[in-house]
Amino acid sequence: MPTTTSEDTGQEPVGTPPNAGAAFFDVDNTMMRGASLFHVARKMYQRRAFRMRDVAGFAWKQLKFRLRGENLNDVHSIRESALAFATGIAVSDVETLGDEVYDEMIASRIWPGTRALASQHIMAGRKVWLVTGTPIEVARVIADRLGLTGALGTVGEITDGYYTGQLVGDFLHGPAKADAIVALAASEGLDLADCWAYSDSYNDIPLLTAVGHPVAINPDSRLRQHAKARHWPVYDFRSGRRAATLGLRTATGAGVVYGIWRSLDKFRNR
């Protein structure tokens, strides 16, 4: 079992009331290994919506993402390609596709440690939301399968039950994620100072700084440096490393230890 080093002195009062704050989790490389949109593209290729060379391009970007972290140019390139190919696709098909993508490609890639953290927030009476650039239809499936409260994702414009290839609002990435949780907090009556946010990417600094409890998970090099300079908790489930523990009473229990152990076990097997 891995050792635990704590650099976070914040403690949560015993007997936290239900719905005290919320937790917001990024998806790609935070809740799951790799990029969810890549797997959506794979499934669409199986449905003959993409050409092989298109999927090959997505696969190359997926490999770079897993090795080096998120790159804005690649993210926007995939987004533009996905929007173009989604034009004229029925919403009902994408909703069905979301279930298939989760069962066949995403379920086995969920990080046990991150899932344990989300579960501990649920047990503490908090609402837990995914915040991701992935299409909202797929994001909702992931949230539902994980037993979370809900999801904030990229919303495609729909006319007569079909996607037009345009977006409703912004692509949910970077500053748009922060804007989304600010709006959600206002509608839900949440105090963001009492909320948590989790991400792997330096591009999600706006999301992380919008809450009182930012946490880096599987961080890219820039986010790791940023988090270390500000003494943010850092978890790295990719190799079993753990740079700091979360200042959350329930998250330091058996659930997180089990999650880390599972991550280590999978890493050893690979």
Side-chain angles (χ1 to χ4, degrees), residues 97-176:
L97 178 145
D99 286 315
E100 294 178 1
V101 168
Y102 185 86
D103 290 337
E104 298 173 17
M105 303 171 184
I106 293 179
S108 62
R109 292 173 170 82
I110 298 294
W111 293 109
T114 308
R115 185 171 189 173
L117 288 170
S119 296
Q120 293 297 329
H121 279 294
I122 294 289
M123 291 173 62
R126 297 187 184 89
K127 294 183 177 181
V128 178
W129 299 80
L130 298 179
V131 186
T132 174
T134 295
I136 186 62
E137 292 80 7
V138 177
R140 284 173 179 158
V141 170
I142 299 173
D144 181 65
R145 296 300 186 89
L146 295 176
L148 309 183
T149 307
L152 302 175
T154 298
V155 179
E157 183 182 69
I158 299 169
T159 299
D160 298 327
Y162 292 85
Y163 291 101
T164 66
Q166 302 298 316
L167 293 181
V168 175
D170 294 326
F171 175 50
L172 205 62
H173 191 266

